[in-house]
Amino acid sequence: QGVAWFSKSNLLGTALPHHFNASMHACKMLTARWLPSLLALFHLAAAASSSTCSSELNGAKSPNLLQKHVTDALPQKEHGLSNAVDSTDAMPSLLLRPSLQSGQPEEVTFAISVKKWYGVDFAGGTFDVDAVITLQWFDARATRLLPANSTSTSLATDKARAQLWLPDIAFTTAAHNAYEKISSSVLIASNGTVTKVERAYVTLKQGYQTADFPFDSQDVSMMLASTTYMRDELELVPVTDDSMWGAKPEIFDNSVWDLVNSSMKAIIDDDNMLRKSRGVLTLRVRREHTTYMASIFIPSVMLLAMTWTSSWLPLGPPFAMPRIAMNAFGLLCQVSVSAMANGLVPATGKTSWLTSYLELCIELQFSVMLLSVMIISIEQIKD
């Protein structure tokens, strides 16, 4: 009213700017729009405070009216999202094994195929292979990951591990830091079958029989097991298709080993609290001994014969030195051959017949050398 009276005065009525009248009109409009809302908000706050105080006095909790009013004002879309999250949490997680609720072990079919054979480190107790591991199991939940109108899909193993359950199966006899993954993928079929195929270059530990070296045959084993689950949770079963496992004889063409036969089976390994279901592929290989004939046997026989022929030299003084030199050189060379042969045999293995043979050669040569020195000494005494 004061502003209206002031605007009607003759002193300043004609000097009042036009934008001042417009500002006053806007203030009136804002006041008329927000004042009822502010009064309603104060009313709700007073009611909520009164309800809280009464609930504290009565020892019981009651819903906050202001919070309820704000919650009811939320868009229905947000409520729908919350319900979707709750329903997702209620569903069984795809990261848990499929038969967890039924209490039955998971049955995983396995196959091991050797693509390349890189040989045996006999002294180190290892062998190197390029192997393909195939695992297959059933998980009906995995079909949720299939695209629309698709009968199957492939995922990288690292990506699949974050979306569905994997059995965590690996070689249990691999050497430390000796597993190099080449490729790995997971195939999901529309019938719920999940297949994992992984190819890797791996160095595996193996104990060898040394008694028959180098005319020996060895059993090299590749053993699989779950790194997480015991046998009451996961059971390995060999694949029935013979073409999916084993090794082809031609991969041994450039090796000193020949393939004799192969076998694959599942075993139960119980050791106190460690109870595992393991899958084993065993290759029986036979060593080609021709290399050792040229590097060990022929040189050892020649050195032994050279030592014996020294006895045919005359006993005169001019031949005394050649006689002793032939014996000494032959003995030292035989010791070198024996050291080379011993380096080919694992230090933890039993004594091989080859080691015994070379020791006998050294003993014979040493005896011949002593005999030659004795004969020369007797001949000098006679003179």
Side-chain angles (χ1 to χ4, degrees):
Q1 291 176 358
V3 173
W5 175 83
F6 185 76
S7 63
K8 291 178 181 180
S9 65
N10 293 327
L11 182 61
L12 299 175
T14 58
L16 186 67
H18 178 72
H19 67 272
F20 183 79
N21 291 331
S23 301
M24 293 301 298
H25 179 71
C27 291
K28 291 180 181 180
M29 294 296 294
L30 291 174
T31 303
R33 178 177 297 179
W34 284 100
L35 185 59
S37 300
L38 292 174
L39 292 176
L41 182 60
F42 286 140
H43 176 71
L44 288 174
S49 176
S50 176
S51 175
T52 303
C53 294
S54 61
S55 63
E56 291 178 353
L57 291 175
N58 295 331
K61 294 183 178 179
S62 62
N64 191 319
L65 296 180
L66 182 61
Q67 182 178 2
K68 182 176 184 301
H69 176 75
V70 174
T71 304
D72 293 340
L74 289 174
Q76 293 299 321
K77 183 178 180 180
E78 295 185 3
H79 281 289
L81 178 61
S82 177
N83 293 335
V85 172
D86 293 341
S87 62
T88 302
D89 293 339
M91 293 188 299
S93 174
L94 290 178
L95 301 180
L96 299 177
R97 63 185 185 90
S99 303
L100 180 61
Q101 294 182 352
S102 64
Q104 298 296 322
E106 307 300 330
E107 186 175 287
V108 178
T109 304
F110 75 94
I112 307 173
S113 176
V114 179
K115 290 186 65 65
K116 291 184 179 180
W117 170 267
Y118 293 103
V120 169
D121 183 358
F122 196 61
T126 61
F127 66 97
D128 300 337
V129 293
D130 180 356
V132 177
I133 306 172
T134 304
L135 305 172
Q136 191 174 84
W137 65 94
F138 180 79
D139 189 352
R141 305 168 303 173
T143 56
R144 302 174 188 174
L145 302 177
L146 291 176
N149 301 324
S150 178
T151 58
S152 64
T153 185
S154 295
L155 300 174
T157 299
D158 294 338
K159 184 178 180 180
R161 192 181 303 277
Q163 301 183 61
L164 76 159
W165 177 81
L166 297 180
D168 295 331
I169 292 177
F171 284 117
T172 59
T173 55
H176 182 62
N177 292 332
Y179 188 89
E180 182 178 348
K181 182 169 64 175
I182 300 175
S183 63
S184 182
S185 64
V186 176
L187 175 66
I188 303 173
S190 58
N191 60 356
T193 301
V194 183
T195 305
K196 177 185 175 183
V197 181
E198 182 166 304
R199 180 182 177 184
Y201 171 81
V202 59
T203 301
L204 299 168
K205 288 288 187 180
Q206 179 67 51
Y208 298 112
Q209 302 294 327
T210 60
D212 297 333
F213 173 79
F215 303 100
D216 57 336
S217 296
Q218 302 290 340
D219 291 332
V220 293
S221 299
M222 288 161 271
M223 186 176 296
L224 292 174
S226 174
T227 59
T228 305
Y229 300 100
M230 298 296 178
R231 63 178 177 86
D232 58 342
E233 298 174 303
L234 187 144
E235 181 181 359
L236 288 174
V237 179
V239 70
T240 56
D241 188 357
D242 294 340
S243 63
M244 296 181 62
W245 62 271
K248 297 180 180 179
E250 52 265 25
I251 67 175
F252 295 87
D253 289 344
N254 296 324
S255 173
V256 297
W257 299 88
D258 293 328
L259 179 65
V260 178
N261 56 53
S262 60
S263 63
M264 190 175 69
K265 61 181 179 180
I267 62 173
I268 294 176
D269 183 14
D270 290 347
D271 187 5
N272 294 327
M273 297 298 294
L274 185 65
R275 299 181 175 90
K276 291 286 188 178
S277 175
R278 304 185 187 274
V280 184
L281 172 66
T282 302
L283 303 179
R284 186 163 185 82
V285 292
R286 182 176 59 247
R287 189 193 306 268
E288 289 286 345
H289 58 269
T290 54
T291 302
Y292 302 95
M293 293 292 294
S295 61
I296 296 177
F297 289 104
I298 294 178
S300 65
V301 172
M302 292 176 63
L303 291 171
L304 184 60
M306 184 181 71
T307 304
W308 287 344
T309 56
S310 65
S311 302
W312 296 346
L313 294 176
L315 294 177
F319 298 97
M321 189 60 187
R323 182 191 289 264
I324 300 300
M326 289 180 64
N327 286 293
F329 290 158
L331 178 61
L332 292 177
C333 291
Q334 194 72 267
V335 170
S336 178
V337 172
S338 178
M340 181 187 66
N342 290 333
L344 300 175
V345 181
T348 57
K350 295 182 178 179
T351 302
S352 66
W353 73 269
L354 178 61
T355 303
S356 301
Y357 161 75
L358 293 174
E359 289 177 356
L360 180 60
C361 291
I362 293 174
E363 292 173 358
L364 290 173
Q365 289 179 264
F366 185 73
S367 300
V368 172
M369 186 180 67
L370 290 180
L371 182 61
S372 295
V373 173
M374 186 182 300
I375 293 174
I376 294 174
S377 300
I378 295 174
E379 184 67 21
Q380 292 297 325
I381 294 174
K382 287 173 59 178
D383 295 341

